[in-house]
Amino acid sequence: MPKVKTNSGAKKRFALTGTGKIKRKHAYKSHILTKKTKKQKRNLTHVAMVDQSNMRSLREMLLLR
């Protein structure tokens, strides 16, 4: 049987916390920043947690069974 591989895109974008939750970064912070307000850019800086509805598919991508 072949080895099961993790999704290489997912392992670059997500990190696991000590309690088993998955951290993610906010979208829309990479380019076209001139039209966004300071407040918008500042709030996009913070790390967020992955929602429960996406947790199952993400755990499969990261091979966290």
Side-chain angles (χ1 to χ4, degrees):
M1 197 163 150
K3 291 181 182 178
V4 182
K5 294 186 177 181
T6 59
N7 185 304
S8 59
K11 71 183 175 189
K12 293 171 195 172
R13 288 174 172 83
F14 301 100
L16 204 63
T17 64
T19 57
K21 295 177 184 174
I22 301 174
K23 293 190 294 187
R24 67 172 177 85
K25 289 185 179 178
H26 283 280
Y28 309 112
K29 183 85 197 313
S30 57
H31 60 98
I32 315 176
L33 298 172
T34 51
K35 62 176 77 171
K36 293 176 182 124
T37 62
K38 288 180 184 178
K39 183 179 180 179
Q40 231 177 333
K41 291 183 275 192
R42 182 174 63 245
N43 289 336
L44 290 172
T45 301
H46 305 299
V47 175
M49 295 298 155
V50 170
D51 193 66
Q52 282 299 122
S53 58
N54 300 320
M55 196 68 93
R56 184 175 177 170
S57 60
L58 247 172
R59 290 182 78 83
E60 284 180 18
M61 281 188 223
L62 298 170
L63 299 178
L64 304 168
R65 296 188 177 130

